[in-house]
Amino acid sequence: MIEDKNPQRTALSQLGEFGLIEHLTKNFDVKNASTLKSIGDDAAVLDFKDKKVVISTDLLIEGVHFDLSYMPLRHLGYKAVVVNVSDICAMNAKATQITVSVAVSNRFPLEALEELFDGITLASKFYNVDVIGGDTTSSQKGLIISITAIGEANEDEIVYRNGAKEGDLLVVSGDLGSAYMGLQVLEREKQVFQVNPNNQPDLDTYTYLIERQLRPEARHDIKDLLSKLDLKPTSMIDISDGLSSEIIHICKQSKVGCNLYEEKIPVDPQFINVCEEFNIDLTTVAINGGEDYELLFTIAMEDFDKIKANPNFTVIGHIVGESEGVHLITRANTKIPLKARGWNALEE
């Protein structure tokens, strides 16, 4: 594809705040009966009747959560929705609405925001959520995105982090670590490009890892899958900050301990190859790398038969008493205390 060396740049000042909102939100339509009023008034109006409402908010900041030198704006918009929908999925609920707020500096023309909102629109259609409002303002620090997700569930369907019991099995969906290694590949190629801008990266062998980083997916399918299996987890959380951090969250809030088995952690073959290429220990990455957006949950031991042959799930450990602590059991059968070494947004 030939790059347009002189792309159109429409200054945001030409539209003004309300003109910009109208322009960027014209493609959003209403899909859920619970949305009585979406964009266009002082507030959205929702009607969940007998359902319980779940709400989650995430903030994405340029230079902290994303790097626009390799993150396309369309992908960023899509991922911003995924990050929030995943939190609703982690409550065993269905996402139904989102609000989108954007702070943007004057280095971004209208066309850049159109790309961002194209991604948001695509994700909202894929996850069947209504965009019902938000805000826009200026920024002196680049691009900031804040999305709030709203979801619904019957009271008896909601799963919290604090329900794990001694003897429960620890289960994860999908594979782990790939998003982090995708980020490492992109960071390496960025450094190569900075040294030699004429160098064009060959990323064919890293397709899966890069996709897991640039365009992850929330596991919105798990709720229905668990329902069909007649299975309700005792606790659940999404893996955004790394497996180790999320296990410790569940254990702390449930007042239990856990044994995680190294040999059981599911990883992709491409992930294994790239860890060897980077000379990085794959287990370290798999338990500490974030942004996989898989679901981690616990189930009662007697429910094991319901998932044992299901390719979506892997049993990776079991819950023990709080006094036993939280440990990684290595392939050599060594017991190592598990520490939260995943993503920490406030770490210097």
Side-chain angles (χ1 to χ4, degrees):
M1 186 170 63
I2 299 174
E3 182 182 357
D4 185 357
K5 300 297 183 180
N6 296 292
Q8 182 179 355
R9 289 180 59 88
T10 305
L12 300 183
S13 58
Q14 291 185 23
L15 289 84
E17 181 182 1
F18 298 111
L20 177 62
I21 292 171
E22 183 177 353
H23 181 87
L24 293 175
T25 61
K26 64 186 178 184
N27 294 322
F28 295 137
D29 52 7
V30 172
K31 298 169 283 291
N32 294 282
S34 52
T35 307
L36 300 185
K37 178 66 178 178
S38 59
I39 297 168
D41 219 304
D42 287 301
V45 181
L46 309 179
D47 179 12
F48 288 92
K49 297 182 170 64
D50 297 327
K51 300 273 188 182
K52 298 301 178 184
V53 180
V54 292
I55 301 174
S56 180
T57 297
D58 268 297
L59 198 62
L60 297 178
I61 300 175
E62 184 179 357
V64 177
H65 301 99
F66 59 88
D67 186 334
L68 291 178
S69 65
Y70 50 72
M71 169 65 83
L73 285 165
R74 188 187 302 262
H75 287 67
L76 176 61
Y78 192 97
K79 185 174 181 177
V81 176
V82 166
V83 168
N84 288 272
V85 169
S86 182
D87 283 332
I88 302 301
C89 295
M91 300 297 294
N92 202 37
K94 175 183 179 292
T96 48
Q97 289 89 9
I98 60 172
T99 64
V100 180
S101 296
V102 176
V104 59
S105 68
N106 60 11
R107 90 173 197 266
F108 292 90
L110 173 63
E111 288 73 21
L113 286 187
E114 286 177 335
E115 285 287 307
L116 179 71
F117 272 75
D118 281 348
I120 293 171
T121 303
L122 183 63
S124 69
K125 290 179 178 178
F126 181 77
Y127 290 105
N128 197 40
V129 295
D130 298 331
V131 182
I132 59 168
D135 193 17
T136 59
T137 190
S138 61
S139 164
Q140 295 182 346
K141 299 293 184 181
L143 179 61
I144 300 172
I145 307 168
S146 176
I147 291 184
T148 295
I150 302 164
E152 64 179 26
N154 294 322
E155 186 172 9
D156 60 356
E157 295 175 328
I158 297 175
V159 178
Y160 301 94
R161 297 179 182 180
N162 63 0
K165 302 289 190 297
E166 188 174 348
D168 284 356
L169 298 176
L170 187 67
V171 186
V172 68
S173 66
D175 61 85
L176 302 177
S178 293
Y180 179 85
M181 287 313 298
L183 178 62
Q184 300 314 299
V185 170
L186 291 168
E187 287 286 352
R188 181 185 66 183
E189 296 305 321
K190 174 187 174 181
Q191 292 173 16
V192 171
F193 178 79
Q194 288 173 339
V195 173
N196 181 10
N198 294 320
N199 184 74
Q200 294 299 313
D202 182 6
L203 301 176
D204 289 345
T205 57
Y206 310 108
T207 303
Y208 177 69
L209 305 185
I210 291 173
E211 184 173 296
R212 290 281 280 179
Q213 171 57 219
L214 296 185
R215 187 177 159 172
E217 297 291 358
R219 294 307 303 262
H220 68 305
D221 58 320
I222 298 298
K223 182 179 186 298
D224 288 340
L225 186 55
L226 291 174
S227 179
K228 290 175 182 177
L229 294 172
D230 189 27
L231 175 61
K232 180 183 177 181
T234 54
S235 67
M236 188 152 59
I237 191 172
D238 76 325
I239 303 176
S240 56
D241 298 330
L243 178 64
S244 60
S245 297
E246 315 304 3
I247 289 176
I248 289 172
H249 280 314
I250 284 180
C251 289
K252 184 176 181 180
Q253 295 201 22
S254 298
K255 294 181 171 55
V256 295
C258 178
N259 286 332
L260 166 67
Y261 291 86
E262 180 183 18
E263 63 182 0
K264 300 294 186 182
I265 299 172
V267 294
D268 185 82
Q270 191 176 103
F271 167 80
I272 297 173
N273 293 337
V274 177
C275 282
E276 291 176 354
E277 178 184 336
F278 277 70
N279 194 27
I280 297 177
D281 180 70
L282 67 88
T283 299
T284 300
V285 176
I287 67 175
N288 296 312
E291 297 194 294
D292 287 307
Y293 299 105
E294 296 293 346
L295 293 180
L296 174 72
F297 57 95
T298 55
I299 62 171
M301 180 70 77
E302 54 264 30
D303 285 330
F304 171 67
D305 286 344
K306 296 179 181 180
I307 68 163
K308 67 179 181 180
N310 196 300
N312 291 283
F313 304 126
T314 305
V315 176
I316 59 173
H318 64 270
I319 301 300
V320 297
E322 184 177 19
S323 62
E324 293 188 46
V326 183
H327 292 88
L328 172 70
I329 311 300
T330 69
R331 291 183 176 86
N333 204 33
T334 303
K335 202 170 186 178
I336 302 173
L338 193 66
K339 298 186 183 301
R341 292 195 173 96
W343 166 254
N344 180 356
L346 300 180
E347 190 173 61
E348 293 184 1

